[in-house]
């Protein structure tokens, strides 16, 4: 008896997600010029590639067969598809008074932002593809063709990494319920990401103690792991994926608790 | 002569008013101060850490020793602070003026519109970065035993002024394109992401990038050349070059703004 | 005529609009074969306004009102024709000119959202070079005329729409302009605030002899402030004169209400005019303006009238009919 309505609920939810995705994709297509510029502003890994290519980085890295160009080009791609701006959106929605109507809808607000981020990534695909094509002309002999299965696996891992990064920001976005201008936290979150994720330097170049600290945070798994995977470097895939899933679940738990408290606080304020 | 003097007095009164009001807004958000401090310190330690990694692989980075490279980083941090204090808060609002139609009010004020749009707001949150940048430069200059004479300090601030002017002109040029293209308001973010290259001496880059950063986007003149002048790697005549480049860029930005306004006033509705 | 504050001669503004069909295909086509067409927003209009006059500027959306106003204050370059506002060519935007005019747009605000109006007003004072003492005097004076008090110290975001508009007016008039361009200054305001704004404008005009050109969708603004109206449609002036003559032009018929003490047939009433409404002891007729006197004396002679009332249809209604009546209107 209880099976059928449950199944309906799942179907209903999938339909909601699907329509949200379609809707957000249409919206993002309107912003494609803007998104192209955002994509263009993700060139940091390429600048770093330029710097590292002039040094004796290979002496620092124990990893066998480490390929610098591949690493930073992969980091560039991973970075393109793990961009998150949910704190900013959430704060804007609160300030503009859009939160109350959203709260009245039966779908948790989380899904609205999550699908909007995914829709943005889909919009990015052709833009990034074009950028890679241009790069392959500018940097000949540095491109490689990953195996099809590797590509599928990497796509999945990038998606997982994006989800974890999204969850980190979503958890911090909850502070918008209590403080004004929480969006400056977004700037703060960028710092550990910048230095601990492997975006500006491969984590293998770090001194032992510091890389140990880095691996205690979720950041290396967000960029270094997928980038190494895409480069064809040797990484422990199962372990890294497990850790990503652990972080996703952990952050989901925390943000759900914070969300409940926040909504209570918000509605108690009579906003 | 007197009326010109009065005009400048008047403009500085206006600016003081502007800044008083904008500081009043910002200081309502005290939490920002803390976040900004943490973020600047985090950035500093992160940058120092990355720099130390470069020097682990060799004693020189593009021919620069560690302390010399620190001066480049210091200048970068000062410019970053200026960006946070003045450029970002003012110039990113131009597009809003265009979108909301309030640019009309700006144009109808008996004051230079470029001045109004560029200096209306000053944000205190760029100060920590500027301070730390200056400290970093002093520390490095002492470490490599550069004479901190009044003359050298004067040279330093002249260079800094020139490179700020170049930076401003680049930002303003991009920001004023929003008069045509409201949808690509974030073009300045692309500029910002490229300017990150200014954290390190230009000679540390491969030749292709070096050419781009010197001639296409003059990042070399923002941080590296001023650092070279202060250290004494190049002769003081280089100041003239930076100043000339700054003057050219500034003139272009003013011309371009006039041109953009011509378009605005002949096409807007 | 050389005394006029504003004089406009054969003023024209053409926009070239490029036509693009939506979608990637449209964009590509647009890129390859750019098709532009010229739209005439303002078509050779001429008028002049004397110092101290308050002129209503009316017309449907897209008639060219805002374009004309913006050409008069210098924000839009005319395609052809001459404009002179207090002896200046507006589009040079000379400081000497800008210090004598102001533009108020009901839907766009210049006050900073997060700050009290007073802060923005003081910035304006500095921009216009008004001394602090003089500034305070003017603020006091304008504030009392507007009925503003403590509101000037509260952040703009916490003010009601009416208070905000009053503060906007204060900021816009601090430099005591002699020419005011007002574009929908009462937009969205409640009735009480609308009346307050009108009263203020009228007393500002009296006190400083300022010239005002006012566009509004609320005919109440126009009827209570302006003796003269300029009606613009499809970029052309179709009426320039008093409001009364406009009404006469627009409404050649007057409406007559009759109450009768004995029931009458429809036919016996119908011979005096066009019946709009009828019950056996009540009727509403439309009678041509010219035949009004004779018709009424006939009605009074022939019918058992207990009450008779003659009125003009409301001006809002007339204007609405005019604009709905379509492309080719002539009066």
């Amino acid at each position: 008896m209880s099976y059928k309505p449950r199944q309906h609920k799942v179907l209903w939810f999938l339909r909601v997600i699907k329509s949200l995705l379609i809707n957000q994709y249409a919206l993002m297509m309107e912003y494609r010029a803007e998104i192209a510029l955002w994509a263009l502003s993700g060139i940091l890994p390429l600048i770093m590639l330029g710097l590292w290519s002039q040094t004796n980085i290979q002496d620092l890295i124990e990893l066998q067969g480490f390929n610098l160009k591949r690493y930073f080009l992969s980091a560039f791609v991973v970075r393109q598809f793990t961009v998150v701006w949910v704190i900013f959106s959430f704060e804007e929605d609160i300030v503009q008074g859009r939160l109350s109507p959203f709260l009245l809808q039966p779908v948790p607000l989380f899904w609205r932002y999550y699908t909007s981020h995914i829709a943005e990534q889909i919009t990015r695909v052709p833009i990034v593809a074009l950028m890679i094509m241009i790069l392959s002309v500018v940097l000949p002999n540095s491109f490689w063709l990953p195996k099809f299965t590797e590509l599928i696996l990497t796509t999945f891992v990038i998606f997982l990494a994006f989800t974890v990064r999204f969850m980190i920001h979503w958890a911090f976005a909850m502070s918008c319920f209590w403080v004004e201008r929480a969006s400056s936290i977004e700037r703060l979150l960028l710092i550990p990401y910048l230095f601990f994720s492997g975006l500006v330097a491969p984590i293998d170049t770090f001194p032992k103690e510091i890389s140990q600290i880095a691996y205690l945070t979720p950041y290396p798994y967000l960029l270094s792991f997928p980038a190494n995977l895409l480069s064809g470097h040797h990484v422990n895939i199962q372990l890294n994926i497990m850790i990503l899933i652990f972080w996703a679940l952990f952050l989901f738990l925390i943000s759900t608790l914070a969300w409940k408290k926040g909504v209570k606080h918000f509605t108690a304020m009579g906003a | 002569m007197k009326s010109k003097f009065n005009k400048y007095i008047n403009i500085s009164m206006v600016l003081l008013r502007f800044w008083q009001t904008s500081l009043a807004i910002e200081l309502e958000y005290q939490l920002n101060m803390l976040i900004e401090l943490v973020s600047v310190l985090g950035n500093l330690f992160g940058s120092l850490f990355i720099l130390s990694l470069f020097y682990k692989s060799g004693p020189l980075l593009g021919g620069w020793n560690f302390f010399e490279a620190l001066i480049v980083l210091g200048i970068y941090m000062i410019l970053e602070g200026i960006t946070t204090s003045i450029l970002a808060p003012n110039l990113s609002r131009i597009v809003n003026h265009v979108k909301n139609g309030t640019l009309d009010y700006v144009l109808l004020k008996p004051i230079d519109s470029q001045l109004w749009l560029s200096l209306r707001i000053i944000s205190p949150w760029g100060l920590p970065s500027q301070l730390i940048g200056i400290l970093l430069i002093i520390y490095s200059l002492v470490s490599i035993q550069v004479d901190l004479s009044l003359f050298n300090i004067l040279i330093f601030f002249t260079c800094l002024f020139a490179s700020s002017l170049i930076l401003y002109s680049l930002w303003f040029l991009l920001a004023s394109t929003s008069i045509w293209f409201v949808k690509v308001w974030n073009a300045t973010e692309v500029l910002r992401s490229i300017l990150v290259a200014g954290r390190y001496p230009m000679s540390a880059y491969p030749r292709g990038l070096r050419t781009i950063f010197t001639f296409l986007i003059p990042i070399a003149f923002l941080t590296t050349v001023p650092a070279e002048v202060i250290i004494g790697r190049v002769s003081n005549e280089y100041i003239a070059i930076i100043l000339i480049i700054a003057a050219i860029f500034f003139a272009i930005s003013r011309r371009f703004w006039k041109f953009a306004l011509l378009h605005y006033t002949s096409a807007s509705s | 005529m050389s005394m006029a504050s504003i004089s406009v001669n054969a003023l024209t503004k053409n926009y070239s609009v490029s036509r693009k069909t939506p979608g990637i295909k449209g964009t590509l086509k647009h890129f390859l074969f750019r098709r532009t067409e010229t739209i005439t927003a303002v078509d050779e209009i001429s008028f002049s306004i004397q110092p101290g006059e308050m002129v209503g500027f009316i017309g449907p959306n897209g008639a060219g009102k805002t374009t004309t106003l913006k050409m008069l204050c210098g924000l839009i370059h005319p395609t052809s024709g001459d404009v002179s506002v207090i002896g200046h060519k507006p589009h040079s935007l000379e400081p000497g000119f800008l210090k004598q005019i102001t533009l108020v747009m009901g839907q766009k605000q210049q006050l900073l959202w997060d700050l009290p109006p007073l802060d923005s007003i003081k910035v304006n004072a500095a921009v216009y070079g008004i001394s602090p003492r003089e500034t305070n005097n003017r603020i006091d004076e304008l504030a009392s005329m507007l009925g503003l008090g403590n509101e000037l110290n509260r952040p703009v975001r916490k003010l009601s729409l009416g208070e905000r508009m009053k503060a906007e007016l204060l900021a816009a008039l601090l430099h005591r302009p002699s020419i005011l361009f007002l574009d929908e200054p009462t937009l969205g305001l409640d009735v009480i605030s609308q009346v307050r704004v009108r009263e203020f404008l009228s007393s500002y005009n009296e006190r400083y002899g300022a010239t005002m050109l006012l566009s509004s969708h609320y005919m109440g603004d126009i009827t209570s402030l302006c003796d003269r109206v300029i009606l613009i449609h499809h970029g052309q002036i179709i009426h320039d004169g008093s409001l009364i003559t406009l009404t006469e032009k627009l409404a050649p018929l007057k409406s007559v209400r009759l109450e009768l003490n004995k029931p009458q047939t429809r036919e016996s009433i119908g011979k005096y005019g066009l019946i709009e409404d009828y019950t056996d002891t009540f009727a509403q007729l439309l009678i041509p303006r010219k035949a009004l006197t004779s018709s009424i004396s006939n009605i009074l002679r022939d019918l058992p009238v207990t009450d008779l009332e003659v009125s003009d249809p409301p001006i809002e209604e007339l204007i609405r009919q005019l604009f709905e009546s379509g492309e080719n209107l002539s009066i």
Side-chain angles (χ1 to χ4, degrees):
Chain A
M1 276 295 276
S2 67
Y3 177 67
K4 241 191 155 155
R6 241 189 120 75
Q7 194 199 15
H8 273 136
K9 206 169 170 195
V10 171
L11 279 179
W12 165 82
F13 182 71
L14 286 178
R15 252 187 64 198
V16 169
I17 295 295
K18 190 182 139 200
S19 58
L20 270 176
L21 259 177
I22 291 172
N23 180 281
Q24 297 283 355
Y25 180 66
L27 188 67
M28 289 301 165
M29 281 304 278
E30 283 299 305
Y31 297 141
R32 56 188 185 275
E34 192 184 309
I35 291 171
L37 288 186
W38 284 124
L40 212 55
S41 66
I43 52 156
L44 182 62
L46 304 178
I47 293 177
M48 296 317 290
L49 169 62
L51 282 169
W52 283 112
S53 68
Q54 304 295 98
T55 62
N56 306 318
I57 188 178
Q58 300 293 353
D59 303 348
L60 296 176
I61 293 180
E62 291 166 19
L63 195 64
Q64 281 209 334
F66 179 82
N67 186 315
L68 188 72
K69 272 186 190 163
R70 280 192 186 189
Y71 176 81
F72 277 113
L73 285 171
S74 304
F76 170 74
V77 173
V78 175
R79 165 102 176 103
Q80 289 289 346
F81 295 105
T82 50
V83 174
V84 174
W85 65 93
V86 65
I87 303 182
F88 177 80
S89 296
F90 187 57
E91 190 198 48
E92 180 126 313
D93 283 341
I94 290 186
V95 172
Q96 303 281 336
R98 285 188 291 248
L99 187 59
S100 300
F102 281 152
L103 286 180
L104 294 178
Q105 292 179 351
V107 191
L109 193 52
F110 172 87
W111 296 103
R112 184 173 286 274
Y113 297 124
Y114 191 60
T115 49
S116 117
H117 280 66
I118 294 170
E120 198 255 16
Q121 287 169 18
I122 298 170
T123 322
R124 253 174 210 250
V125 170
I127 301 166
V128 175
L130 186 71
M131 290 169 78
I132 291 174
M133 268 159 63
I134 293 169
L135 280 173
S136 70
V137 176
V138 180
L139 300 168
N141 310 325
S142 51
F143 275 80
W144 71 106
L145 208 62
K147 276 192 231 115
F148 182 69
T149 48
E150 275 176 10
L151 218 54
I152 296 289
L153 187 65
T154 312
T155 310
F156 168 71
V157 167
I158 291 177
F159 181 71
L160 202 58
F162 153 72
T163 303
V164 171
R165 183 141 190 255
F166 183 86
M167 296 301 306
I168 297 173
H169 284 239
W170 177 243
F172 277 96
M174 295 303 105
S175 59
C176 294
F177 280 122
W178 289 275
V179 289
E180 277 182 283
R181 286 224 198 163
S183 57
S184 50
I185 295 174
E186 202 137 63
R187 269 168 56 79
L188 208 56
L189 285 178
L190 195 65
I191 292 168
Y193 179 71
L194 212 54
F195 298 113
F196 277 173
S197 71
L199 192 62
V200 289
I203 297 181
D204 297 275
T205 58
F206 290 8
K208 268 272 150 352
E209 311 79 48
I210 293 184
S211 69
Q212 273 167 0
I213 296 173
Y215 279 114
L216 290 177
T217 72
Y219 290 104
Y221 308 99
L222 301 186
L223 191 120
S224 178
F225 163 51
N228 275 322
L229 187 65
L230 187 58
S231 315
H233 296 149
H234 179 76
V235 270
N236 188 334
I237 297 168
Q238 283 96 334
L239 181 69
N240 279 295
I241 289 180
M242 293 282 275
I243 292 173
L244 273 174
I245 292 174
F246 159 77
W247 276 111
L249 291 176
F250 174 71
L251 288 160
F252 184 73
L253 198 71
I254 297 216
S255 57
T256 308
L257 288 175
W259 168 259
K260 281 189 178 147
K261 276 211 147 158
V263 171
K264 222 181 201 170
H265 178 79
F266 182 73
T267 45
M269 298 274 288
Chain B
M1 191 63 199
K2 186 149 191 256
S3 83
K4 197 123 200 177
F5 180 71
N6 277 341
K7 200 177 141 198
Y8 288 126
I9 292 280
N10 194 29
I11 285 177
S12 37
M13 289 291 289
V14 174
L15 289 182
L16 273 179
R17 264 284 159 212
F18 281 172
W19 295 346
Q20 220 173 317
T21 53
S22 56
L23 281 178
I25 302 182
E26 288 304 318
L27 292 175
E28 277 190 41
Y29 304 96
Q30 291 109 341
L31 186 72
N32 267 46
M33 191 70 213
L34 189 73
I35 289 180
E36 212 55 43
L37 259 176
V38 173
S39 131
V40 165
L41 286 176
N43 252 322
L44 174 72
F45 288 122
S47 305
L48 289 177
F49 171 59
I50 298 297
L51 207 57
S52 74
L53 287 183
F54 283 126
Y55 284 96
K56 244 169 62 176
S57 71
L60 291 175
L61 180 66
W64 294 58
N65 71 33
F66 184 74
F67 291 109
E68 291 170 335
L70 273 192
I71 293 175
V72 176
L73 182 63
I75 296 175
Y76 179 83
M77 288 191 82
I78 294 174
L79 294 181
E80 179 85 347
I82 292 173
T83 306
T84 314
S85 283
I86 297 173
L87 304 185
N90 285 294
L91 302 182
S92 54
R93 270 185 178 77
I94 293 179
V95 68
N96 292 342
H97 279 305
V98 177
K99 258 198 260 178
N100 304 334
T102 45
L103 188 62
D104 292 348
Y105 288 129
V106 177
L107 298 181
L108 288 183
K109 293 258 152 38
I111 189 174
D112 189 274
S113 53
Q114 187 174 355
L115 181 89
W116 169 285
L117 290 170
S118 306
L119 292 175
R120 179 140 174 62
I121 296 160
I122 192 162
S123 154
W125 314 129
L127 276 181
S129 186
Q130 292 172 53
L131 264 175
I132 289 175
I134 288 180
L135 289 179
L136 209 57
I137 292 167
I138 294 175
Y139 170 71
S140 324
L141 285 177
V142 171
S143 304
I144 51 177
Q145 291 167 339
V146 168
D147 175 25
L148 277 179
S149 69
L150 198 65
F151 181 68
N152 277 344
I153 291 172
L154 201 69
I155 283 178
F156 170 66
F157 279 104
T158 312
C159 288
L160 205 58
F161 167 75
S163 55
S164 315
L165 201 60
I166 297 174
L167 181 67
Y168 159 78
S169 307
L170 285 173
W171 260 81
F172 189 80
L173 268 171
L174 274 180
S176 51
T177 57
S178 61
I179 284 203
W180 289 273
F181 316 109
V182 173
K183 275 197 169 176
V184 290
W185 58 275
N186 55 344
T188 48
E189 290 298 320
V190 180
L191 176 70
R192 223 176 168 172
S193 70
I194 299 172
L195 292 181
V196 170
R199 270 177 201 265
Y200 308 100
M202 276 305 122
S203 53
Y205 290 94
R207 190 187 302 152
L209 281 179
R210 208 158 47 197
T211 316
I212 293 174
F213 294 155
T214 311
F215 297 108
L216 213 57
I217 310 145
I219 301 174
F221 297 98
L222 293 180
T223 54
T224 306
V225 177
E228 282 176 324
V229 172
I230 301 160
I231 302 165
R233 283 171 146 252
V234 295
S235 63
N236 283 340
E237 280 87 76
Y238 266 76
I239 302 174
I241 295 179
I242 311 181
L243 278 172
I244 289 169
I245 289 173
I248 291 171
F249 269 91
F250 184 64
I252 292 175
S253 85
R254 283 199 71 80
R255 264 296 165 80
F256 190 73
W257 179 241
K258 291 259 155 67
F259 173 64
L261 281 188
L262 211 64
H263 172 84
Y264 179 78
T265 53
S266 58
S268 71
S269 58
Chain C
M1 281 313 278
S2 63
M3 292 283 287
S5 291
I6 301 172
S7 76
V8 171
N9 188 23
L11 185 65
T12 301
K13 177 69 193 178
N14 293 331
Y15 290 117
S16 73
V17 182
S18 50
R19 294 243 287 190
K20 180 174 102 67
T21 40
I24 293 172
K25 221 174 140 188
T27 309
L28 207 68
K29 229 171 130 184
H30 175 68
F31 185 74
L32 294 173
F33 321 96
R34 187 165 290 241
R35 281 236 313 264
T36 57
E37 59 183 85
T38 308
I39 289 177
T40 305
V42 176
D43 193 3
E44 299 209 352
I45 61 170
S46 307
F47 58 87
S48 77
I49 296 175
Q50 302 305 313
E53 252 192 301
M54 293 178 92
V55 178
F57 204 39
I58 55 178
N61 287 331
K65 280 176 300 174
T66 306
T67 305
T68 309
L69 277 181
K70 285 195 174 178
M71 281 196 280
L72 290 179
C73 60
L75 287 170
I76 297 182
H77 282 230
T79 309
S80 65
D82 296 314
V83 201
S84 161
V85 177
I86 41 169
H88 291 263
K89 290 257 165 289
H91 55 262
S92 326
L93 293 174
E94 304 153 33
F97 165 71
L98 296 177
K99 283 187 180 177
Q100 291 187 65
I101 66 149
T102 200
L103 170 70
V104 177
M105 295 178 279
Q107 73 277 45
K108 295 166 188 174
Q109 52 169 8
Q110 63 163 320
L111 297 173
L112 289 184
W113 188 246
D114 283 316
L115 286 178
L118 209 54
D119 287 347
S120 298
I121 289 167
K122 292 210 162 142
V123 167
N124 273 3
V127 167
Y128 286 96
I130 307 167
S131 75
R133 232 180 101 175
E134 180 62 19
T135 304
N136 286 333
N137 289 342
R138 291 189 189 184
I139 292 174
D140 288 346
E141 184 188 359
L142 289 169
S144 77
M145 282 167 80
L146 282 160
L148 277 172
N150 258 336
E151 293 89 345
L152 291 177
N153 292 312
R154 282 212 302 269
V156 173
R157 59 168 191 270
K158 292 190 175 148
L159 300 182
S160 73
L161 204 58
E163 291 164 339
R164 212 182 292 157
M165 194 60 227
K166 288 194 258 176
E168 284 283 338
L169 280 169
L170 205 166
L173 297 176
L174 189 74
H175 58 288
R176 248 178 229 165
S178 57
I179 311 274
L180 277 65
F181 299 107
L182 305 152
D183 194 11
E184 309 271 350
T186 56
L187 195 76
L189 300 189
D190 61 70
V191 182
I192 299 166
S193 308
Q194 276 184 26
V195 170
R196 191 91 212 204
V197 167
R198 283 175 208 156
E199 283 171 0
F200 168 76
L201 291 175
S202 151
S203 60
Y204 185 88
N205 165 264
E206 246 169 61
R207 207 174 278 200
Y208 301 110
T211 312
M212 295 189 194
L213 190 55
L214 166 89
S215 92
S216 181
H217 275 107
Y218 300 109
M219 283 309 295
D221 290 345
I222 309 286
T223 49
S224 62
L225 287 173
C226 311
D227 296 328
R228 175 179 167 197
V229 290
I230 294 176
L231 176 61
I232 185 169
H233 192 51
H234 288 302
Q236 290 176 321
I237 292 178
I238 52 177
H239 172 82
D240 181 356
S242 76
L243 202 59
I244 299 162
T245 54
L246 177 64
T247 317
E248 280 169 9
K249 273 193 205 167
L250 288 178
L253 300 174
K254 285 234 173 196
S255 152
V256 177
R257 249 175 74 103
L258 293 175
E259 269 174 52
L260 308 159
N261 63 8
K262 269 188 241 149
Q264 296 292 319
T265 60
R266 210 181 164 96
E267 291 75 41
S268 63
I269 298 172
K271 60 183 172 191
Y272 301 104
L274 193 68
I275 297 180
E276 270 200 312
D277 200 2
Y278 166 79
T279 59
D280 49 2
T281 60
F282 165 82
Q284 184 146 348
L285 296 170
L286 287 176
I287 298 173
R289 226 173 249 280
K290 282 173 192 151
L292 190 67
T293 346
S294 63
S295 293
I296 286 180
S297 59
N298 289 342
I299 289 170
L300 290 173
R301 195 186 58 214
D302 300 343
L303 297 173
V305 176
T306 51
D307 194 16
L308 182 146
E309 195 183 305
V310 182
S311 62
D312 274 318
I315 183 86
E316 268 97 345
E317 188 65 15
L318 290 175
I319 302 267
R320 193 181 56 79
Q321 280 172 6
L322 175 70
F323 296 153
E324 278 175 357
S325 68
E327 297 295 300
N328 307 310
L329 67 154
S330 53
I331 30 177

